[in-house]
Amino acid sequence: MRLGKRGRISQWKTFYNYLLVADAGVNLWSSYRAAGAMSDDVAKLMDEGGWKPIQGIKNKYPTEAMPLDGELWGIAQIENGLIKSIPNKGNTFKDVDFVITTKGKLKIGRKHHFLGNGSDVEAAGTIKITNGKLNKISNSSGHYFPTIEEANKFPEIFRKLGINTKGVALEIKFLDEAGNLKTQTKFILE
């Protein structure tokens, strides 16, 4: 499906609207970059054939029913390394659930299984954001429970989205050999 002359990109005001149309198969990446609705880095990736996942994390319980209390607060829009305000939610959150889909969408809300639609994701856990600045990333997700190796790729994935990760705390939860839950925290230098 392609837009004709009457369906010019000017009718689309936000990147979020692009995401809705993208699911219908319309390719508008170049127009959105020109309109300044996405970072040049993300636009370049999309122009070169779409988002290329770094990894795929399997949902440990893919057949489980969707939670009734799951909520998608929004698909994050990134500008100048910051996460823009989500309508009716703002851009300051303490330990809010997130997933990054294998198509490069940062979904914020409640319940990982719901946010990931039961599918594989690139990243899942919780994030802390203050006025759009990412402060902490955690792999805390019961449905995806990313491994240490997978969680260590989170900063690269967030940077690929255009989010500034310098100084962000990366909190990695894991099970030790005895099955005890442990936490390792380090700060991202780039």
Side-chain angles (χ1 to χ4, degrees):
M1 181 169 122
R2 296 202 185 273
L3 288 178
K5 290 182 181 178
R6 294 180 192 260
R8 295 204 187 275
I9 192 64
S10 62
Q11 67 185 342
W12 302 102
K13 302 280 185 197
T14 65
F15 181 56
Y16 180 74
N17 286 339
Y18 165 75
L19 294 172
L20 296 176
V21 175
D23 290 334
V26 178
N27 187 351
L28 303 174
W29 290 118
S30 297
S31 299
Y32 265 86
R33 182 183 57 208
M38 70 171 74
S39 75
D40 286 340
D41 291 338
V42 173
K44 182 179 177 188
L45 285 169
M46 299 309 171
D47 286 343
E48 293 173 353
W51 182 266
K52 292 178 175 50
I54 292 171
Q55 66 183 357
I57 301 172
K58 298 250 180 250
N59 185 328
K60 308 302 187 258
Y61 310 98
T63 60
E64 186 175 287
M66 284 294 149
L68 297 176
D69 58 345
E71 289 182 275
L72 173 62
W73 292 358
I75 298 172
Q77 296 180 45
I78 315 306
E79 186 176 294
N80 299 321
L82 302 175
I83 297 169
K84 293 177 72 174
S85 186
I86 294 173
N88 301 317
K89 295 293 182 182
N91 64 351
T92 298
F93 307 107
K94 181 180 180 181
D95 295 325
V96 64
D97 291 348
F98 82 91
V99 301
I100 298 176
T101 69
T102 56
K103 293 183 180 184
K105 296 178 186 178
L106 171 56
K107 294 183 174 183
I108 298 173
R110 291 183 36 181
K111 305 291 181 179
H112 299 106
H113 184 56
F114 180 83
L115 295 173
N117 198 29
S119 301
D120 293 357
V121 298
E122 272 204 87
T126 61
I127 50 178
K128 179 180 179 184
I129 305 166
T130 306
N131 296 323
K133 169 78 174 98
L134 184 64
N135 296 307
K136 183 178 86 172
I137 308 168
S138 170
N139 69 332
S140 185
S141 169
H143 273 82
Y144 292 98
F145 201 71
T147 65
I148 294 172
E149 181 180 282
E150 291 166 337
N152 276 317
K153 293 179 184 174
F154 287 7
E156 179 183 359
I157 296 165
F158 275 85
R159 282 192 299 273
K160 189 173 165 184
L161 286 171
I163 298 171
N164 181 3
T165 62
K166 188 172 184 175
V168 171
L170 177 61
E171 180 183 87
I172 302 175
K173 296 183 183 281
F174 62 96
L175 297 176
D176 67 11
E177 291 176 8
N180 299 310
L181 183 64
K182 301 288 184 178
T183 302
Q184 169 189 16
T185 303
K186 57 186 172 181
F187 290 90
I188 303 166
L189 300 177
E190 56 182 307

